[in-house]
Every structure is written in C-alpha cells, then in structure tokens.
Amino acid sequence: MIRKVSPHITQNEPLLFEISSPGKRAYQLPALDVPAADPAKVLGAANVRDEITGFPEVSEVELVRHFSRLSTWNYSIDLGMYPLGSCTMKYNPRINEQVAGFEGLAWAHPYQPESLSQGAMEIMARLEDALAEITGMDAVTLQPAAGAHGELTGILLVRAALTARGNPRKEILVPDSAHGTNPATAAMAGYAVESIKSNSQGMIDLDVLSRAVTEDVAALMVTNPNTLGIFEENIAHAAGILHGKGALLYMDGANMNALVGVTRPGDFGVDVMHLNLHKTFSTPHGGGGPGSGPVAVKKAIEPFLPVPRLRTEAGQWRFDFARPQSIGRVRAFYGNFGMMVRALAYILAYGGDGLAKATMDAVLNANYIRARLDAHYDLPHDAPTLHECVFSDSRQAARGVKTGDIAKRLIDYGFHPYTVSFPLIVHGAMMIEPTESESKHELDLFIDALISIAKEVEENPDQVLTAPHSTRIGRVDEVAAARKPVLRWHP
Ligand SMILES: *Cc1c(COP(=O)(O)O)cnc(C)c1O
C-alpha cells in the first residue's frame, strides 16, 4: 500500500494488515540446539494451527512505530483538558502513582498473613479516618469498587438499618436532578423509586418533598452538589423532614470535589454517603481501570458495614469478621487497595488547607467558564454553580445545531468534548466540569473554542453539522456502532 500522507504525524495510520509484507519478522530466534518436538504430540493436534490466513508480517520497528502512532490517538489528561461534566477528569499528581508503585505495596497479596500486612492495614485505617474527618461521618468502609457499587452498598445498609428497627420500608425518593445510577441502585436494592421534581432553581422543592415523605419512605437519595452543579441549599431542612418521619438521608458524594474542606455532609444531616476516590481523590479515571467507592456512615449504621472491619489488638491490626449485623462482604478481599494508597498519598500531600484550596479552585474554574460563556450559550438554571456548569443548546438548536454537533466540532479545536445530553432535566445539555487542574490559559483556549463555534453556528452551521473534519473517521452511525460492533478484521 502506498501512503498518501506523511506516516510520522498522522491521524491516518493504516491497519497493521495493510502494511504487512510477506516474510518480514519482528523477532529473531537462535537456531534450535535441541531436538524439535512435534507440537501435535505435545499440545494435541486439535490445538495446533498450521497457518493463520492473512496474519500481518512486519518488522520490529514497523510494529513499534505503528502502535506508538496509534497511542497518540488516545486523548489523555496528559495531552489536554477533559471538560466532561459529572466525571471529574482531573490531573492526578505523578507522585501518587509512584507511591502506589512501591514494591511492598504494589506486590502485597491479599492472602498475606495479617502479621505481614500491618503497613497495608495501617494505610487503610488512616484513609478511613481521613475520609471520616473530611465527610464529617463516623465510620467508613473502603470495600466498594466503584461509585455505583458504593451506592448499592449504602442502600443495602439503609435497608439493614431500617430492617433492624422493624421495617425496611418500600420506597426511595430520588430528585430528578440525580445521577442516573441513583434510581438504578434503589431499584436493585429492592425499593420502588419515586422521582421528586426540582424547583426552578434546580434544587429540591421542600414542599414537594414534605408531601412525598411518608412512613413508607426508606430514604431520599440526593446527589449533592446535584448534576446541575448546584448545591442543595435546603439539604439540612430536607434531612429534618426525612428524620421526622423515620427515613434516612443518602448522599451521592461522587461530586465531593466541590465540597471537600469547605463543608461536611455529616454536619448537614446525611446518614449514609459514598465517595468516588477515582474522581475526587487522585486516581486515574476512565478506560475501565479500577475504581473505589468508599461508603461513610453515621454511628447508628456502623454495625451493618461490610466485613471484615479493621480493629487493633495488642498494638496489631486485625481483620474483624465477628460482626453479626454486617450486610456481609460486597467485594472479594478488601477493595481496590492501590486506589486507597493513591488517595491517602493525595490527602496527606495536600493537607487540610490544600484540599480546601483544590475545592475552591474547581469551583472558581467552573464559574469562570459559566460567566464567560453566558453571552453565547443558554443557561437554563442561572444559579451560582459549584464545580460544573450546565448550558443548553437551545440558541444553537434554533439554527439546527445540537449539543452533539458542538461537541464534535470541539474535537477539531483540539479538545475532548464535554458531557453531551446529560443531565436529562436540561434539554440539549452541555455539561462542563473543568476541575481545579486547569490553568486560566487552558480555560481561555477552551472558552474561545466554544465562542468560535457559537459564531460558526451563526455564519456557517454546516461546518459544525459535519464536524469533526480533522480525524480519520468523521461521523459514525453511533447506534449501529453500538448495536453491531465489528470487532474482527476479515481478510
Ligand atoms: C460518577 C458518578 C457515579 C458513578 O460512579 P462510578 O464509579 O462510575 O460507578 C454516581 N453518581 C455520581 C453523581 C457520579 O458523578
């Protein structure tokens, strides 16, 4: 195949099959100096393949360059910002990776005896304490492996605590501004879900809530700050309403990066909550890597936490399994330990003041974007935001351009798209979360790109409707790609 463009910097890397040339090898082995065995005898004839048709044949350097070039197609946090709202795709300091890679930690084995795991157990205990302090809660389990897994654990704890009181109740209330995993979790834990409509400011409507809370309600599951990036100002009142009827308040704390060091859920009435270490507390996020969704609870719920729990005995850390009221294990072993190491390294390095500063910077960055884009995009809920802001495409939609088109055009400007069409309560949502990692310079580049796209929509909407123009593949049929993925190359 003859290349039409420079192969060195390219978005047009051919398939390995296309650069294949018969007889090329990426390895060289010395001549065999022992008698050759018959593979069919050693492995069984059924397991031996004489030939793989169309298998690519390339040299080592071609192989290395092919994959190196492909790797540059991966947009990453090391390349530029991820404005994905609700995801907190911030930069995580390299030092935390280094700490997690220390031999004694990275090679620790879950079957190692307790006597040889004291350091690892101390790390977990200190992290539990730090998270309890940050959230204002009394006890923490580190077992859940993701945010949604933390939610499920949390609601199972709600069920266990209410059951112990005599009645698990039937219903969980979920505001319409909640993250999608909230109603799914409630349903998985066996509860009926009732949606609570937000008021015009995008917050819980206390009158609606008061009417909805009955003796059948187990809990309110509230994402705070909610998916509009708005802090639920009446959260303490909401807690009072729930507690007055014997119900509990669950807080989805995946967005805790907007609150850390500034306010504590335990102080405003939350009974159970989860955190996403892979959002707020320094863990590479995305790509399906391991996550961690610790759950923090008030004292009354502590007996129900998953086993094992850490305790000390004669100055040694022990795992305590003798906890009769526990909901049991929610994960093999103790959770994703490497995430815990990173989180503790991050918390200790920043310290209380540093964590609060990170929160304030995240909020400042989001409000800067909101203020500068206000003249160009529609803001359906014009309340001050915390760590993210949500625009709608309604001005651009009048010219036929939707949130997904604007997002695709952003790729041409060198940015990863924002979160498209979520949260659902905003039609044509454009959800942007810059995080504290980004400098004013980077934010300005991003804002200027969006302003420029807004102008294009006025002057030449086709340019936006057909974007991206700079990539090997432009628009794909997303539904077909999801429904009929072609994962195999047929020669
Ligand atoms: C990300 C997120 C979740 C889910 O977390 P996972 O780790 O992806 O399961 C839940 N709630 C909110 C508000 C989130 O932002």
Side-chain angles (χ1 to χ4, degrees):
M1 187 193 116
I2 296 162
R3 291 173 206 269
K4 297 197 183 64
V5 290
S6 157
H8 300 129
I9 312 164
T10 179
Q11 289 272 331
N12 276 309
E13 182 68 15
L15 298 176
L16 210 47
F17 302 92
E18 293 168 343
I19 57 175
S20 169
S21 156
K24 286 197 176 179
R25 290 284 176 273
Y27 62 87
Q28 243 185 336
L29 296 177
L32 204 60
D33 59 358
V34 292
D38 178 0
K41 271 202 194 125
V42 182
L43 302 171
N47 297 319
V48 177
R49 244 192 313 193
D50 289 330
E51 198 190 348
I52 309 172
T53 354
F55 202 68
E57 295 175 76
V58 292
S59 70
E60 178 178 319
V61 67
E62 286 170 335
L63 186 71
V64 168
R65 285 182 183 162
H66 171 74
F67 284 108
S68 298
R69 286 193 293 256
L70 278 187
S71 75
T72 66
W73 292 15
N74 272 350
Y75 192 88
S76 74
I77 196 71
D78 295 347
L79 213 56
M81 78 184 274
Y82 269 89
L84 280 176
S86 194
C87 294
T88 316
M89 302 292 282
K90 64 186 187 181
Y91 175 80
N92 297 301
R94 283 289 191 281
I95 185 78
N96 302 331
E97 290 303 308
Q98 201 179 344
V99 174
F102 285 161
E103 202 180 347
L105 299 175
W107 287 89
H109 194 282
Y111 281 137
Q112 224 166 262
E114 286 173 2
S115 62
L116 297 179
S117 306
Q118 291 294 305
M121 292 164 89
E122 170 105 17
I123 286 172
M124 290 194 275
R126 284 208 201 176
L127 180 60
E128 285 186 6
D129 286 351
L131 296 178
E133 172 69 28
I134 287 168
T135 55
M137 306 293 278
D138 298 317
V140 173
T141 172
L142 302 173
Q143 234 179 71
H149 193 195
E151 288 175 38
L152 181 62
T153 305
I155 296 300
L156 291 176
L157 290 169
V158 166
R159 179 178 276 283
L162 293 178
T163 304
R165 265 201 234 153
N167 180 4
R169 303 190 170 195
K170 298 196 178 79
E171 227 174 61
I172 296 224
L173 307 177
V174 182
D176 57 6
S177 62
H179 194 265
T181 47
N182 296 177
T185 295
M188 274 192 77
Y191 283 110
V193 178
E194 194 187 327
S195 177
I196 300 283
K197 219 170 142 41
S198 302
N199 62 22
S200 61
Q201 292 168 291
M203 294 185 217
I204 297 173
D205 189 322
L206 287 183
D207 292 335
V208 175
L209 181 70
S210 304
R211 283 196 296 275
V213 181
T214 64
E215 308 277 325
D216 277 340
V217 169
L220 170 73
M221 262 188 113
V222 56
T223 300
N224 192 28
N226 64 31
T227 52
L228 296 166
I230 295 171
F231 184 78
E232 294 287 357
E233 275 176 16
N234 295 318
I235 189 82
H237 284 123
I241 293 169
L242 290 154
H243 293 156
K245 286 276 165 70
L248 299 174
L249 176 57
Y250 183 95
M251 188 182 110
D252 179 332
N255 297 334
M256 194 67 193
N257 61 315
L259 308 184
V260 172
V262 178
T263 184
R264 307 194 311 165
D267 299 339
F268 54 70
V270 169
D271 299 293
V272 185
M273 66 176 293
H274 80 269
L275 297 161
N276 277 38
L277 297 190
H278 50 290
K279 288 181 180 166
T280 309
F281 296 101
S282 183
T283 293
H285 178 199
S292 182
V295 173
V297 299
K298 287 281 174 64
K299 212 175 229 84
I301 297 167
E302 195 265 347
F304 306 98
L305 287 175
V307 281
R309 297 287 300 151
L310 284 161
R311 67 177 168 82
T312 45
E313 190 182 289
Q316 293 277 301
W317 288 107
R318 295 260 179 264
F319 284 121
D320 186 1
F321 289 86
R323 296 175 54 87
Q325 288 189 289
S326 167
I327 60 168
R329 270 188 191 281
V330 296
R331 196 180 182 286
F333 303 115
Y334 318 105
N336 284 326
F337 177 67
M339 306 304 111
M340 300 168 201
V341 178
R342 289 171 175 86
L344 186 63
Y346 172 83
I347 290 168
L348 293 179
Y350 274 43
D353 293 345
L355 290 172
K357 178 109 190 348
T359 301
M360 299 309 274
D361 285 351
V363 172
L364 178 64
N365 283 356
N367 280 281
Y368 180 64
I369 290 179
R370 189 176 70 95
R372 275 205 62 201
L373 286 179
D374 194 8
H376 307 273
Y377 291 92
D378 173 57
L379 261 179
H381 297 90
D382 199 6
T385 40
L386 291 190
H387 62 304
E388 60 195 359
C389 51
V390 182
F391 293 93
S392 96
D393 65 8
S394 63
R395 287 193 213 172
Q396 289 70 30
R399 297 186 61 87
V401 176
K402 304 280 178 55
T403 175
D405 303 312
I406 300 164
K408 296 262 190 243
R409 185 64 177 145
L410 259 181
I411 298 171
D412 288 333
Y413 283 82
F415 285 98
H416 192 285
Y418 49 76
T419 293
V420 171
S421 304
F422 181 82
L424 301 175
I425 49 170
V426 171
H427 188 78
M430 308 165 55
M431 186 193 210
I432 299 168
E433 178 179 11
T435 82
E436 76 276 11
S437 315
E438 302 307 331
S439 65
K440 179 167 178 299
H441 176 71
E442 182 81 9
L443 293 180
D444 281 332
L445 290 176
F446 174 73
I447 292 163
D448 291 346
L450 275 171
I451 292 174
S452 174
I453 295 170
K455 290 203 178 105
E456 288 174 357
V457 172
E458 295 302 318
E459 290 157 12
N460 183 8
D462 265 0
Q463 203 170 0
V464 181
L465 287 168
T466 50
H469 305 284
S470 61
T471 53
R472 177 174 165 97
I473 293 170
R475 298 247 172 161
V476 293
D477 180 340
E478 286 165 3
V479 175
R483 296 254 167 96
K484 296 182 196 149
V486 180
L487 303 175
R488 211 184 174 129
W489 187 77
H490 297 282

